[in-house]
Amino acid sequence: MPRNSSPAAPPQICSASRRALLLFTIGLLTASPSYLLAQLPTPTLTSAFPPGGKQGTSLDVTIAGTDLDDAGQLIFSHAGITAQPKMTEGSEFLKPRPMTNQFVVSIAADVPPGAYELRAVGRFGLSNPRAFTIGTFDEIVEDTANKQRTSAKELTVPIVVNGRIEAGSMDYYKLTLKQGQRVIVDCRAQRIDSRADATFILYDASGKELTRVRDCEGLDPVLDFTAPADGDYVVGLYDFIFAGGADYFYRLAVHSGPQVDFVFPPSGVPGSNGKYTVYGRNLPGSQPADGLMIDGSPLEKVAVDIALPGDEVSARQLAMRSLVQPRGAMLDGIEYRLGTAYPTTVYFARAPVVTEQEPNNAPTAAQRIAVPCEYVGQFYPARDADCVQFDAKKGDVWLIEVIAHRMGLDCDPSLIVQRVTKNAQGEEVVAELAQIDDPADRATRIGTDFDTSTDDPDYRLVVDQDASYRVLVRDQFGDSRSDPRSVYRLLIRQAEPDFRLVATPVSSQVAAQNQQNVPIAAPVLRKGGSTIFDVKVDRRDGFKGEIQISAEELPPGVTCPGAVIGGDISSAPLVFMADENAASWAGSVRIVGKATIDGKEVGRYARGGAIIWGTANRQTQLPEYRMTRDIALSVMEKETDVAKVQVAEDKIWETSRGGSLEFPVKVSRYGDFKGELKLVAVGLPNELKPADTTIAAAASDAKVKLAVTNAAAKSGTYTFYLRADTKIKYARNPEAVAVAEEEKKEFDEMLKQLAETIKAATAARDAAVSAAQEAVKVKETEPAKAAEAEEAKAKADLALKELQGQLKQAEQQKPVIAKKVDDLKKAAAPKDVNVAVISAPIKVRILDSPIKISATAPAAGVKPGEKVEIPVKVERLFGFEDQVEFSFEPPAGVTGLTANKPIVAKGQADGKFDITAANNATPGEHTITIRAKVKFNNVNLESTEKIVVKVEPAVAAK
């Protein structure tokens, strides 16, 4: 620090040094981490504020959460958004330092408007995602002085305000509008991961309430307002139940720019280049939309051409136009943008698209269609019901489903399916076949983690006679509203077996094993450790084939043994494992599922999912999930896991119902961990779950035994893992102690220099006082010199008081800084924490029976009154040696066929049927079912085989 003892220039700290001192002190005050002593740290990001910014600008962003120690990087889902740590100002004796959890975010000018994601990377790896929204208007941050209507913050249109709702209060914003001026007031809260259920109240200049608005886009309010007169209007913004806090952030946009409400038709065939109509407000080149209105506000429309990709990969993905809820996770579509408006989704149709033609409300006016097709319409106006009719042949099977709720709409569709025939008089005869409110599998999905349940109904129509079939579709919420955005897709098609995948990270916290506790999960690997993703499968149209799930684009040192599921199984754990030398890394990976469908291998990339808000008790507050733009993973290299449990072979282990398996497992221990490990199987239904297995302290081998002897056990292909919860001594972030001590040392040196500067300033002040006293003696003869000395004295006295104030302020922080060092030392002291050890995955294929049977159909037919021999063979599996008892079953309606019931003796492979045709045997080719019954470890099992037996017609007597 420069010094000058001249009375006219007293020693002082420059403004940069004073600011650096303040920022340094603030950094120390905010750097202390929060501790979760019962568990290993898991980086959890609760907010980023402001939660977005304007194209082509830079802004300061502060993140908040837990276990974000040493967060020095933000990763965004768009390459055009980058961040650097915000640094303190340096000075003559202070080095610039990163400010805790503060970043300077830069947004490239070509980043399209929309919702993206950011994640923080720190000592403990990569956090969960939070939304970060890019817009095109100028932006400000709420100054919090707007909690009264009389002190409303005045806004200039267009503008975006980034703010937070405080509990029990309202934020007020004033708009000065001209008569006839139309503005859109759009609050994004739920749509950007906020906890707020935002609500508007609009007041005129006198304070009269004009309207209240909520739940227009999900839980978010949107107000389309045209000023009836010149004047001031105030928008009050609050949470519907007056909750609030740091997690109740919002982006309030006030503008007259383009806003897209919906596109019609909502879907198109992949590879097509079709014509669509975009409906919304303030659309470029638009015209009035034929009287369509939303909440009394007129819409506009503009015709556009939209080309949809037709390649296999692109047509099997879902573009993230916004933060998609789980119910829409399995749809396919692209992101479409009109000008600078936020994007919307155009979905991929699964059959040729047919557009609704009014009038079609009455059954007698049902629109005739040809199937298969994807019929697209609107539940509009209020109480709208649409009818379609098509012809079908006996034996046809048509799958009928509605898609509306899954597209993010607040609709609850229902279906009525009727058969329409005519009597002898030509009169219409209508038979109701079904009324369907919800999909058939809704009960198995609702309330599960990443709940993909939906209100969209489906029905499987098995045509029992040639006729016309009528489908009536309506929205059960449609009687109370009239909203043209309520579009729907009615699919009438034949089965196309397929599947989709979504992968979400799973918390390994011990508390997470409580079914009511759902913590936010971070995709983090410690060296030598494992982490899990839950992969959910949407099996379409009865597809039960095996799906091989694997991961791609993994960093060095990370492996994924994959998973396999088959049959009715619809989820699998996917385990990622890091070796002991894995380097620090954070980024995205790809998860792919491969299966054989109709003899062709197909691949489907998994979509990403995440827990946005966890819960300690899902009975009182549900966890919140959504989809993510990518699937993220990270490796933290500063910590090594406790142990690694591996299975002897990475293969598909196979047995049958009634059988058993034994899996040799080996544990590799790290550091000084010698404790006992109790291995519990995770990922199997209770009727298959093996008994817990204990690996003794310091031991390294064990065998896990799986006995499939529960009669309720189902065949299929399963993937599961072994989990052991244990305690270890854990030192949290010991390096932070050295850093804090160095910071304290620098702070102490700063105080020392400041004290020296004060000493010099005191001497300078004393000298100035003496000089002023001497100048008094010559005041009458040398007034200018006396005035100069008096001024120097005042300056020296002021400088000294300022330095003394800074010293007092700094000394007040000294115990806080010392406490921070002490806290970090205490945290770094080894303590008992709960940890989970996750094994490599185990893949098991369970067959229905331990035998495979084959039968040889007779080459020639059997004549009435004769018999035919049918050899049968038994292939024995999994050590099964007992006898096999056979029976046969002719099809319904066939008479005169009988057979013996052969028994294949223990250890034997061959047997035979003698099938006898009576004189009155039904002639023709008949599919015979051969049944083989066995008892395997006291479990009764059955296998079947079908053959065709031809019965010759009886020869008429001469």
Side-chain angles (χ1 to χ4, degrees):
M1 180 182 301
R3 300 173 183 169
N4 191 324
S5 59
S6 168
Q12 57 184 303
I13 295 181
C14 68
S15 60
S17 297
R18 289 196 297 272
R19 178 170 173 79
L21 171 61
L22 177 61
L23 292 176
F24 180 79
T25 304
I26 291 174
L28 289 175
L29 287 170
T30 60
S32 297
S34 62
Y35 302 118
L36 183 63
L37 296 182
Q39 310 280 351
L40 288 176
T42 299
T44 302
L45 182 63
T46 55
S47 68
F49 193 82
K54 180 185 177 182
Q55 294 170 319
T57 64
S58 294
L59 67 154
D60 292 346
V61 172
T62 301
I63 63 172
T66 58
D67 298 330
L68 298 176
D69 302 38
D70 308 331
Q73 184 182 5
L74 297 183
I75 294 180
F76 293 84
S77 60
H78 192 290
I81 313 173
T82 57
Q84 295 294 329
K86 186 175 181 180
M87 306 296 289
T88 61
E89 292 183 7
S91 69
E92 293 83 355
F93 55 87
L94 269 181
K95 296 180 294 184
R97 276 192 171 83
M99 299 180 69
T100 303
N101 293 346
Q102 297 185 55
F103 296 84
V104 178
V105 174
S106 299
I107 306 166
D110 60 353
V111 178
Y116 300 93
E117 290 165 328
L118 70 83
R119 300 171 187 263
V121 185
R123 174 192 172 85
F124 299 116
L126 189 67
S127 76
N128 59 293
R130 286 290 161 202
F132 194 79
T133 306
I134 307 303
T136 59
F137 306 126
D138 289 340
E139 304 205 0
I140 61 173
V141 174
E142 175 196 20
D143 59 15
T144 71
N146 60 339
K147 303 305 179 184
Q148 301 294 326
R149 186 166 52 82
T150 54
S151 60
K153 173 71 175 178
E154 188 165 0
L155 302 180
T156 302
V157 181
I159 196 73
V160 171
V161 183
N162 296 281
R164 288 187 173 103
I165 297 174
E166 295 179 9
S169 71
M170 296 178 65
D171 293 345
Y172 293 92
Y173 297 97
K174 183 169 68 175
L175 308 174
T176 301
L177 304 176
K178 295 290 186 181
Q179 182 179 8
Q181 185 176 353
R182 183 184 188 185
V183 293
I184 307 292
V185 186
D186 184 356
C187 180
R188 290 179 176 264
Q190 181 205 38
R191 287 173 287 170
I192 60 170
D193 291 341
S194 173
R195 287 188 180 273
D197 181 1
T199 306
F200 288 153
I201 302 179
L202 180 66
Y203 304 91
D204 65 12
S206 68
K208 177 184 177 182
E209 180 179 322
L210 301 179
T211 187
R212 293 191 182 213
V213 182
R214 70 183 290 254
D215 296 357
C216 301
E217 290 284 348
L219 296 182
D220 292 343
V222 179
L223 172 64
D224 184 344
F225 178 65
T226 300
D230 292 358
D232 293 336
Y233 299 86
V234 174
V235 175
L237 170 61
Y238 64 101
D239 178 77
F240 184 66
I241 60 172
F242 285 96
D247 302 338
Y248 289 71
F249 44 84
Y250 61 83
R251 283 172 60 83
L252 178 69
V254 185
H255 65 92
S256 299
Q259 180 138 329
V260 172
D261 286 293
F262 67 99
V263 175
F264 194 85
S267 57
V269 176
S272 65
N273 189 354
K275 294 190 178 299
Y276 298 78
T277 303
V278 179
Y279 293 87
R281 274 68 75 92
N282 305 318
L283 304 180
S286 64
Q287 58 185 4
D290 307 323
L292 294 185
M293 292 191 294
I294 296 176
D295 296 329
S297 298
L299 297 183
E300 305 159 10
K301 65 180 181 180
V302 58
V304 298
D305 292 329
I306 301 177
L308 300 181
D311 65 278
E312 175 72 8
V313 174
S314 298
R316 297 294 185 269
Q317 300 302 304
L318 173 63
M320 298 288 292
R321 68 173 175 86
S322 63
L323 306 183
V324 177
Q325 302 303 307
R327 68 188 191 225
M330 305 303 181
L331 298 180
D332 305 326
I334 66 164
E335 199 172 66
Y336 172 74
R337 297 176 181 277
L338 181 69
T340 59
Y342 284 114
T344 189
T345 299
V346 177
Y347 295 92
F348 293 127
R350 299 175 67 182
V353 175
V354 175
T355 304
E356 175 187 9
Q357 300 296 322
E358 294 278 8
N360 66 342
N361 291 7
T364 54
Q367 184 176 339
R368 299 288 304 192
I369 59 174
V371 292
C373 74
E374 180 162 311
Y375 183 83
V376 294
Q378 293 167 278
F379 297 123
Y380 182 80
R383 293 174 293 281
D384 181 44
D386 295 335
C387 304
V388 298
Q389 194 161 317
F390 61 94
D391 295 330
K393 298 291 186 182
K394 182 178 179 179
D396 289 348
V397 178
W398 293 101
L399 303 181
I400 304 172
E401 67 173 316
V402 179
I403 300 177
H405 187 236
R406 280 171 285 176
M407 293 191 293
L409 302 173
D410 190 17
C411 296
D412 186 4
S414 66
L415 286 172
I416 297 177
V417 181
Q418 301 172 334
R419 181 177 60 240
V420 183
T421 57
K422 290 188 177 180
N423 61 18
Q425 291 73 39
E427 299 169 329
E428 194 174 83
V429 178
V430 177
E432 185 173 294
L433 304 180
Q435 290 190 25
I436 307 98
D437 179 18
D438 293 318
D441 65 349
R442 186 173 188 267
T444 63
R445 300 189 185 208
I446 193 167
T448 59
D449 290 341
F450 203 84
D451 180 356
T452 58
S453 63
T454 174
D455 292 337
D456 291 338
D458 58 35
Y459 178 67
R460 186 172 183 266
L461 171 63
V462 179
V463 180
D464 60 357
Q465 60 179 284
D466 293 359
S468 287
Y469 291 83
R470 184 181 295 154
V471 178
L472 295 81
V473 59
R474 62 184 292 269
D475 178 14
Q476 297 180 99
F477 293 160
D479 290 353
S480 60
R481 66 181 176 199
S482 186
D483 190 338
R485 294 173 296 185
S486 299
V487 299
Y488 67 85
R489 302 159 57 192
L490 172 63
L491 280 67
I492 305 175
R493 58 181 179 79
Q494 293 175 318
E496 295 179 351
D498 206 338
F499 66 95
R500 296 291 184 273
L501 307 173
V502 61
T504 57
V506 176
S507 173
S508 62
Q509 290 186 12
V510 175
Q513 300 311 293
N514 174 357
Q515 295 297 313
Q516 305 308 319
N517 182 289
V518 184
I520 292 177
V524 177
L525 282 164
R526 285 173 166 81
K527 292 191 300 183
S530 305
T531 194
I532 313 159
F533 279 74
D534 177 41
V535 181
K536 288 191 179 295
V537 181
D538 179 33
R539 292 184 175 273
R540 294 184 173 178
D541 301 350
F543 174 66
K544 295 187 178 182
E546 284 191 351
I547 304 171
Q548 300 278 347
I549 304 170
S550 60
E552 302 174 347
E553 301 177 10
L554 298 177
V558 174
T559 57
C560 177
V564 58
I565 52 176
D568 290 321
I569 316 305
S570 59
S571 66
L574 191 66
V575 180
F576 290 82
M577 310 184 79
D579 65 34
E580 300 89 311
N581 300 310
S584 179
W585 183 86
S588 60
V589 299
R590 301 187 80 171
I591 294 173
V592 63
K594 294 182 179 179
T596 299
I597 302 177
D598 294 332
K600 177 185 175 183
E601 184 182 84
V602 299
R604 303 286 181 253
Y605 283 112
R607 295 94 187 264
I611 304 170
I612 297 305
W613 296 111
T615 179
N617 186 348
R618 68 193 312 158
Q619 297 299 316
T620 57
Q621 183 179 27
L622 290 174
E624 296 182 31
Y625 294 80
R626 68 164 170 82
M627 297 189 64
T628 58
R629 286 184 174 267
D630 53 21
I631 298 173
L633 186 70
S634 66
V635 180
M636 55 171 296
E637 65 178 354
K638 291 188 176 180
E639 292 186 5
T640 301
D641 218 322
V642 173
K644 177 184 291 184
V645 177
Q646 293 177 298
V647 186
E649 294 182 71
D650 181 16
K651 67 175 187 179
I652 299 178
W653 301 71
E654 194 170 79
T655 189
S656 74
R657 298 170 63 207
S660 62
L661 287 169
E662 190 173 77
F663 313 104
V665 296
K666 186 176 184 65
V667 59
S668 300
R669 301 170 185 270
Y670 302 120
D672 57 359
F673 176 70
K674 305 293 183 185
E676 177 183 278
L677 292 175
K678 182 180 180 181
L679 300 175
V680 179
V682 181
L684 289 175
N686 288 334
E687 59 270 17
L688 279 176
K689 198 170 182 180
D692 298 345
T693 303
T694 299
I695 301 179
S700 59
D701 297 284
K703 291 183 179 179
V704 177
K705 296 180 180 180
L706 172 64
V708 194
T709 54
N710 188 317
K714 295 181 179 179
S715 61
T717 308
Y718 300 82
T719 297
F720 69 101
Y721 63 92
L722 305 171
R723 175 190 175 106
D725 293 321
T726 187
K727 288 183 181 291
I728 63 168
K729 291 291 186 182
Y730 174 74
R732 179 193 174 102
N733 198 355
E735 294 88 350
V737 176
V739 173
E741 287 179 335
E742 180 61 29
E743 290 176 343
K744 181 178 181 299
K745 181 179 178 182
E746 187 173 348
F747 186 82
D748 290 342
E749 180 62 26
M750 184 194 312
L751 288 178
K752 182 178 178 181
Q753 293 189 38
L754 183 57
E756 292 177 356
T757 303
I758 289 174
K759 182 178 179 181
T762 302
R765 191 277 315 270
D766 292 344
V769 169
S770 297
Q773 290 172 346
E774 290 296 322
V776 170
K777 299 176 181 179
V778 294
K779 184 175 182 179
E780 294 184 0
T781 57
E782 299 182 62
K785 182 177 179 180
E788 182 181 352
E790 191 62 32
E791 182 180 358
K793 172 181 172 293
K795 286 182 177 181
D797 191 54
L798 180 63
L800 179 59
K801 287 182 179 179
E802 183 178 356
L803 288 168
Q804 289 171 334
Q806 292 171 12
L807 179 61
K808 182 179 179 180
Q809 182 183 36
E811 285 181 336
Q812 288 174 345
Q813 304 310 319
K814 189 173 181 178
V816 177
I817 295 169
K819 184 177 184 303
K820 181 208 171 182
V821 174
D822 289 341
D823 287 346
L824 287 171
K825 285 181 178 179
K826 291 177 182 177
K831 295 179 177 64
D832 286 338
V833 297
N834 298 307
V835 298
V837 177
I838 305 299
S839 79
I842 303 173
K843 307 156 196 173
V844 176
R845 182 183 292 124
I846 298 174
L847 306 183
D848 261 327
S849 172
I851 63 169
K852 293 181 180 179
I853 61 172
S854 59
T856 304
V862 58
K863 296 178 180 179
E866 298 183 358
K867 66 179 179 181
V868 66
E869 184 179 281
I870 299 178
V872 291
K873 285 189 173 293
V874 175
E875 180 185 355
R876 297 174 179 274
L877 306 169
F878 317 125
F880 175 75
E881 291 293 329
D882 290 345
Q883 72 175 22
V884 182
E885 180 181 336
F886 284 90
S887 64
F888 98 119
E889 181 181 305
V894 173
T895 60
L897 284 180
T898 59
N900 64 326
K901 293 185 176 181
I903 292 177
V904 177
K906 181 177 181 178
Q908 300 300 306
D910 298 307
K912 66 178 181 179
F913 275 100
D914 290 327
I915 297 181
T916 301
N919 288 329
N920 65 342
T922 305
E925 291 187 345
H926 307 302
T927 299
I928 305 298
T929 300
I930 295 176
R931 300 188 183 278
K933 295 182 179 180
V934 301
K935 181 173 284 190
F936 190 25
N937 293 326
N938 292 318
V939 179
N940 294 314
L941 304 171
E942 184 178 271
S943 300
T944 61
E945 174 80 346
K946 293 183 183 296
I947 62 170
V948 175
V949 175
K950 182 178 180 181
V951 177
E952 301 286 354
V955 178
K958 293 183 179 180

